[in-house]
Amino acid sequence: MSAGTLAVFIGVVMIAYVVPGPDWMVILRYSARRRSSGFIAAIGVQCGLAVHMTAAALGVSTALLHSSVAFTVLKLVGAAYLVYLGAQALWKSWKSEPKSEKPAEEADEPVIGRPWRIFRQAFLSNVLNPKAALFFVSVLPQFLDRDAAVAPQVLLLGGLDIVLGVLWWGLFVLLTARLSTLMRRSGPRKVLDRVTGTALVGLGGALVISS
């Protein structure tokens, strides 16, 4: 692969990361509350991406996306999960909070301090998103050498994609975590939950009608 082709690939990958999507909303919601939570969500997203990369290298993604039934099922399950995450955030923003003598960050600890729960939500939001699989079977192949073995190239470029994502999400979390002090207040927390919740529901709806 030439340096020019590699540079184009890196540019395409970074654009895909910068444009807001389900991963963006999930990581934003957690990183704005606590930096450690944001990093856990980012790890979950990248682990989900690793699953898509492995499936593409094995040819599973191609077979899946060429089956209209399998693709529709994956699309509907993914959309339902995004709507579920969005509805969960909206419900949390609207329900009345119990009075507590503890500081806001301590009162929020039982919810934010569950690493496995955060990881699972971020992981599933990526794994169940067929658009992530589409990247590996429609965009990435355009950068492959047709005369060389496909699987090693998919793993190499996919690995580069994941590394770039780790760098991007690390910077993203560090920047949005600066909002953590503000997010300790009930008002801003509710606004963020409503914004990200509405966005996730909207993304789920858009996924349902996508072809």
Side-chain angles (χ1 to χ4, degrees), residues 62-200:
T62 302
L64 175 66
L65 296 178
H66 276 79
S67 168
S68 59
V69 174
F71 179 79
T72 300
V73 170
L74 177 63
K75 181 178 70 171
L76 293 177
V77 172
Y81 190 69
L82 290 178
V83 171
Y84 164 75
L85 291 180
Q88 188 179 57
L90 290 171
W91 169 250
K92 183 178 178 182
S93 73
W94 286 108
K95 71 176 183 179
S96 58
E97 298 181 349
K99 295 182 179 180
S100 174
E101 297 300 325
K102 297 181 180 181
E105 62 267 36
E106 292 182 16
D108 203 34
E109 181 67 26
V111 175
I112 298 302
R114 297 174 183 170
W116 172 245
R117 178 174 176 272
I118 297 171
F119 176 88
R120 184 184 65 225
Q121 287 190 349
F123 176 78
L124 289 177
S125 71
N126 186 279
V127 166
L128 296 176
N129 184 3
K131 292 185 177 180
L134 279 172
F135 175 85
F136 283 97
V137 297
S138 62
V139 178
L140 189 145
Q142 299 179 46
F143 297 91
L144 301 180
D145 182 353
R146 304 294 179 181
D147 298 324
V150 173
Q153 294 183 79
V154 171
L155 293 175
L156 178 63
L157 292 179
L160 177 59
D161 183 344
I162 292 174
V163 170
L164 291 172
V166 169
L167 296 176
W168 161 251
W169 290 127
L171 177 62
F172 182 87
V173 170
L174 289 175
L175 291 176
T176 54
R178 293 180 176 273
L179 299 173
S180 60
T181 301
L182 180 63
M183 289 300 110
R184 290 170 186 166
R185 299 169 56 188
S186 175
R189 282 207 314 273
K190 288 185 176 182
V191 170
L192 179 63
D193 280 339
R194 288 171 189 174
V195 170
T196 56
T198 302
L200 286 169

Side-chain angles (χ1 to χ4, degrees), residues 5-60:
T5 303
L6 186 60
V8 173
F9 175 76
I10 292 174
V12 170
V13 169
M14 292 311 299
I15 290 174
Y17 276 117
V18 171
V19 174
D23 297 341
W24 207 88
M25 295 301 170
V26 171
I27 295 175
L28 172 63
R29 185 185 176 207
Y30 285 112
S31 63
R33 294 190 173 199
R34 183 160 299 165
R35 185 168 56 184
S36 59
S37 299
F39 282 131
I40 293 171
I43 292 172
V45 163
Q46 293 308 97
C47 285
L49 202 62
V51 171
H52 287 296
M53 176 187 69
T54 304
L58 296 175
V60 176

